[in-house]
Amino acid sequence: MVIVRAILGSLILFFDWVFTPRGIKRDMDAQKQLDAQTSGLTLYQYKACPFCVKVRRAIKRQSLAIETRDAKRCDTARGELVAGGGRLKVPCLRIEEASGESRWMYESGDIIRYLEGRFGQVA
Ligand SMILES: N[C@@H](CCC(=O)N[C@@H](CS)C(=O)NCC(=O)O)C(=O)O
């Protein structure tokens, strides 16, 4: 099972690399403004998780500068996810609200819909 998972994980990463989506190009000021908005977002993820790859590809398509934290390899990131979100499940987007509170969003589909709703869809 471990070997099958490792092979599948490598295949997912390989195809993700081969078919990396192109990011949208913005002028420097527009990208800077967007970067300021995305600075309050953090994606907790595993490198080879297909649901995380799907979210990372959406982020790449929209050229969003969102910090990613590996909850499999990094104990600190895993601890933050469980303590804040309540579950060890990825992907999870931490959204820092203007009030300073954090909202933890699970489910790849919900995360992608949230990002597209807030930052626009990229075909
Ligand atoms: N329906 C979820 C599925 C997410 C999911 O199953 N994630 C797996 C990794 S691929 C997970 O976090 N499993 C718990 C664990 O590995 O501890 C989504 O679309 O985000």
Side-chain angles (χ1 to χ4, degrees):
M1 196 62 197
V2 175
I3 295 172
V4 173
R5 231 187 265 170
I7 293 170
L8 274 179
S10 303
L11 279 174
I12 288 167
L13 289 177
F14 175 72
F15 282 107
D16 180 39
W17 176 71
V18 171
F19 300 106
T20 296
R22 273 205 200 149
I24 189 171
K25 291 252 182 291
R26 301 182 180 89
D27 68 49
M28 232 167 69
D29 285 343
Q31 186 65 50
K32 257 191 190 167
Q33 278 182 20
L34 197 62
D35 292 351
Q37 291 179 52
T38 53
S39 66
L41 302 176
T42 309
L43 182 73
Y44 290 78
Q45 47 110 41
Y46 295 166
K47 205 172 157 207
C49 155
F51 306 99
C52 301
V53 169
K54 197 169 83 171
V55 173
R56 289 203 307 267
R57 291 174 70 83
I59 288 173
K60 181 91 201 289
R61 270 196 301 276
Q62 291 171 290
S63 300
L64 303 176
I66 295 179
E67 185 192 340
T68 57
R69 292 194 189 155
D70 192 325
K72 181 162 266 182
R73 291 186 172 82
C74 173
D75 293 344
T76 311
R78 189 165 51 249
E80 288 168 0
L81 174 60
V82 174
R87 272 181 294 164
L88 179 58
K89 191 175 174 203
V90 290
C92 181
L93 185 70
R94 176 158 67 90
I95 305 161
E96 249 184 74
E97 307 283 13
S99 62
E101 301 260 305
S102 284
R103 182 149 66 98
W104 298 77
M105 183 181 284
Y106 289 93
E107 288 301 320
S108 52
D110 290 347
I111 296 170
I112 291 170
R113 262 189 300 280
Y114 168 80
L115 293 175
E116 287 179 349
R118 186 165 165 193
F119 302 112
Q121 186 154 11
V122 180

